[in-house]
Amino acid sequence: MTRTGDLAVFYEEWAKYQGLLVDVIKPLTDEQLQLRPAPHQWAVWQIAGHMAACRPWWFGFLGEGSQQLRDMFRVEETTVPDLPVEHAWWEDNENRPRTAKELVDAHEKTWAMIDGCLRRWTPEDLEDEFSKTSWRTGETEAFTRGWVLIHLMGHDFHHGGEISNILGSHGLKTIDDF
């Protein structure tokens, strides 16, 4: 699908990457989603869940996305010491691993939110400034809409690479295999 608009060329490859990531996750078994590079590091399901959860979290600061989409990543308990449950997401509750179906659904829903914004925003919109207060430090942080997009793209590519590395090291298909 060729997109039109001022931002389309720049983000078209991100959209393709999103599709490849979904293709990698979709056939994984629950056992394969539990694979991790080391016992103290996140499993594939946690990395994929974290990727999806960050999208509506950041877009919420931009006044985008629905509260319902943000809330789908909330958990009732966390297995991370000293992490308040109100700041915990799927990846923070190892007692409730996510399935491939749940992860694909999360990525497709959050991508639809991003795609809708990219179709609507102009290059000028990327300069709009926003701020949030860090719950950890209490400090106010300023950022632009453009920074959030670049941050999330890098985040997707970084964590998608982690997933590919874990899967590839176990002889499974990676993003590069699709």
Side-chain angles (χ1 to χ4, degrees):
M1 171 178 93
T2 302
R3 297 162 46 137
T4 59
D6 292 329
L7 301 178
V9 173
F10 188 65
Y11 294 111
E12 192 168 294
E13 294 304 316
W14 189 15
K16 288 178 188 174
Y17 192 85
Q18 157 68 22
L20 293 172
L21 183 65
V22 165
D23 289 344
V24 164
I25 294 169
K26 196 177 288 186
L28 296 178
T29 66
D30 291 345
E31 182 178 273
Q32 291 166 333
L33 288 168
Q34 288 288 345
L35 295 172
R36 51 182 83 218
H40 66 282
Q41 293 181 319
W42 279 348
V44 169
W45 76 264
Q46 289 174 291
I47 298 168
H50 172 73
M51 291 169 71
C54 282
R55 294 167 170 183
W57 186 80
W58 272 106
F59 271 64
F61 291 113
L62 305 178
E64 301 286 353
S66 69
Q67 186 63 47
Q68 180 182 6
L69 187 59
R70 287 186 287 283
D71 287 345
M72 79 179 269
F73 297 99
R74 290 285 173 215
V75 293
E76 294 181 12
E77 67 176 341
T78 176
T79 55
V80 178
D82 301 320
L83 178 65
V85 73
E86 62 268 17
H87 299 293
W89 302 339
W90 283 0
E91 71 272 17
D92 300 316
N93 182 2
E94 291 201 44
N95 295 329
R96 173 59 170 89
R98 302 299 163 159
T99 66
K101 184 177 183 333
E102 287 174 298
L103 294 166
V104 166
D105 181 61
H107 277 266
E108 288 175 345
K109 285 179 178 174
T110 59
W111 183 256
M113 174 197 62
I114 291 171
D115 187 61
C117 291
L118 294 177
R119 290 177 185 280
R120 187 169 28 88
W121 292 343
T122 67
E124 293 76 27
D125 291 331
L126 300 184
E127 297 172 17
D128 292 345
E129 198 167 288
F130 300 84
S131 64
K132 69 176 186 69
T133 303
S134 169
W135 66 270
R136 287 190 174 113
T137 66
E139 295 180 21
T140 299
E141 305 165 327
F143 49 89
T144 64
R145 186 176 277 127
W147 181 90
V148 169
L149 288 177
I150 294 298
H151 177 73
L152 285 174
M153 283 178 64
H155 190 259
D156 275 7
F157 298 149
H158 168 79
H159 287 307
E162 285 182 308
I163 290 171
S164 281
N165 190 29
I166 294 167
L167 296 176
S169 70
H170 290 277
L172 300 168
K173 285 190 174 183
T174 71
I175 288 172
D176 292 332
D177 296 326
F178 283 85

